[in-house]
């Protein structure tokens, strides 16, 4: 039994550290991102730009399979989010576009793991392997960004459910989100909330080894905190 446990542990270590396809440097922004819409001068609108230094998305990834206890839950952080919110001064008409480059995702930052009270401690080799496997599953070289778009975010200004589209891995899905938003004339916009997605809904095959004895669960739980400051256009 001891030899079997040693063998399984070695297989897990090798699978996490296996040399996978390295991530590919991304372009600066998605080719279809509407920068010009937000940067044009229009006195009727106020435009807010995401402060990437103060904004983050956290993604909770769950271990699964019959031998899940030999793996790790993971925390993936996006701390390089970009984008804009545009609000009509009179009518409250609202539009928002955000994107996050996948190559800069931060895997298993010890501060975030501690905050989530995760009960395991992956090694640096585990973390490197996890990121490589994750970016391979996401096909990051072909689909370098996650994008979130709302053509009408005005319901969020009234604390109502807001329709958005999430584009990931070349697939776009509609979501209805509960968004907490703080808006005042003198302060930045602050948005907070959370939602869950299934990887398979976006054509992503959750990572697994040993015929699924250890695997990543399909469901991902996301939480976000976005701060955007007003632009002088």
């Amino acid at each position: 039994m001891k030899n079997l446990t040693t063998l399984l542990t070695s297989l897990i270590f090798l699978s996490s550290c296996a040399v996978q396809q390295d991530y590919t440097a991304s372009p600066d922004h998605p080719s279809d991102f509407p920068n010009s819409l937000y940067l044009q001068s229009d006195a009727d609108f106020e435009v807010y730009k995401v402060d990437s230094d103060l904004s983050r998305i956290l993604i909770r990834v769950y271990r699964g399979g019959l031998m899940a206890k030999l793996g790790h839950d993971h925390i993936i952080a996006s701390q390089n989010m970009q984008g804009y919110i545009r609000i009509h001064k009179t009518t409250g008409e609202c539009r928002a576009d955000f994107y996050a480059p996948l190559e800069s995702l931060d895997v298993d930052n010890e501060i975030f793991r501690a905050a989530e009270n995760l009960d395991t401690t992956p090694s640096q080799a585990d973390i490197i392997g996890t990121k490589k496997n994750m970016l391979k599953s996401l096909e990051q070289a072909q689909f370098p960004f996650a994008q979130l778009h709302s053509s009408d975010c005005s319901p969020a200004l009234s604390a109502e459910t807001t329709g958005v589209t999430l584009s990931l891995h070349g697939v776009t899905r509609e979501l209805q989100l509960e968004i907490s938003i703080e808006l005042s004339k003198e302060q930045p916009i602050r948005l907070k909330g959370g939602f869950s997605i299934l990887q398979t809904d976006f054509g992503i095959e959750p990572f697994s080894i040993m015929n699924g004895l250890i695997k990543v669960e399909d469901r991902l739980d996301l939480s976000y905190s976005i701060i955007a400051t007003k632009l002088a256009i």
Side-chain angles (χ1 to χ4, degrees), residues 93-131:
E93 174 192 338
C94 177
R95 172 175 172 148
D97 286 278
F98 309 119
Y99 68 89
L102 300 180
E103 66 174 301
S104 62
L105 291 176
D106 185 10
V107 176
D108 285 327
N109 182 299
E110 61 182 12
I111 295 175
F112 299 144
R113 288 187 67 83
E116 293 290 324
N117 296 313
L118 298 187
D119 58 358
T120 62
T121 305
S123 68
Q124 188 61 35
D126 291 333
I127 292 171
I128 292 172
T130 296
K131 180 166 183 176

Side-chain angles (χ1 to χ4, degrees), residues 30-100:
S31 59
D32 60 348
F33 193 78
N35 277 302
S36 59
L37 172 69
Y38 292 97
L39 298 179
Q40 66 185 3
S41 180
D42 190 331
D44 292 331
F45 287 88
E46 291 180 332
V47 177
Y48 297 80
K49 185 178 188 298
V50 171
D51 187 331
S52 58
D53 291 332
L54 299 177
S55 303
R56 80 170 54 104
I57 303 170
L58 295 180
I59 306 163
R60 179 76 178 260
V61 183
Y62 298 94
R63 58 189 170 182
L66 293 176
M67 302 185 69
K69 65 180 180 180
L70 296 180
H72 305 282
D73 287 351
H74 301 286
I75 291 292
I76 313 299
S78 173
Q79 301 183 83
N80 191 22
M81 190 176 184
Q82 310 290 331
Y84 301 93
I85 305 166
R86 185 173 183 256
I87 302 175
H88 194 280
K89 294 177 181 178
T90 304
T91 66
E93 174 192 338
C94 177
R95 172 175 172 148
D97 286 278
F98 309 119
Y99 68 89

Side-chain angles (χ1 to χ4, degrees), residues 62-215:
Y62 298 94
R63 58 189 170 182
L66 293 176
M67 302 185 69
K69 65 180 180 180
L70 296 180
H72 305 282
D73 287 351
H74 301 286
I75 291 292
I76 313 299
S78 173
Q79 301 183 83
N80 191 22
M81 190 176 184
Q82 310 290 331
Y84 301 93
I85 305 166
R86 185 173 183 256
I87 302 175
H88 194 280
K89 294 177 181 178
T90 304
T91 66
E93 174 192 338
C94 177
R95 172 175 172 148
D97 286 278
F98 309 119
Y99 68 89
L102 300 180
E103 66 174 301
S104 62
L105 291 176
D106 185 10
V107 176
D108 285 327
N109 182 299
E110 61 182 12
I111 295 175
F112 299 144
R113 288 187 67 83
E116 293 290 324
N117 296 313
L118 298 187
D119 58 358
T120 62
T121 305
S123 68
Q124 188 61 35
D126 291 333
I127 292 171
I128 292 172
T130 296
K131 180 166 183 176
K132 287 184 176 180
N133 291 331
M134 175 188 69
L135 294 181
K136 182 181 180 183
S137 294
L138 291 171
E139 297 185 274
Q140 177 265 340
Q142 185 176 356
F143 308 109
F145 299 100
Q147 293 179 248
L148 192 71
H149 164 71
S150 178
S151 59
D152 180 16
C153 50
S154 56
L157 301 175
S158 302
E160 299 176 7
T161 301
T162 303
V164 305
T165 59
L166 174 63
S167 298
L168 178 67
H169 193 241
V171 177
T172 299
R173 294 284 186 182
E174 294 185 0
L175 304 173
Q176 295 292 322
L177 302 187
E178 300 288 341
I179 303 173
S180 172
I181 185 167
E182 300 175 14
L183 174 62
S184 68
K185 292 183 178 180
E186 303 302 327
Q187 300 295 329
I189 288 181
R190 299 173 184 268
L191 301 92
K192 291 184 179 180
F195 60 98
S196 299
I197 63 171
L198 298 179
Q199 297 179 71
T200 50
D201 281 348
F202 293 87
I204 301 167
E205 183 65 30
F207 180 76
S208 67
I209 59 173
M210 298 188 293
N211 292 321
L213 287 175
I214 297 178
K215 64 181 182 179

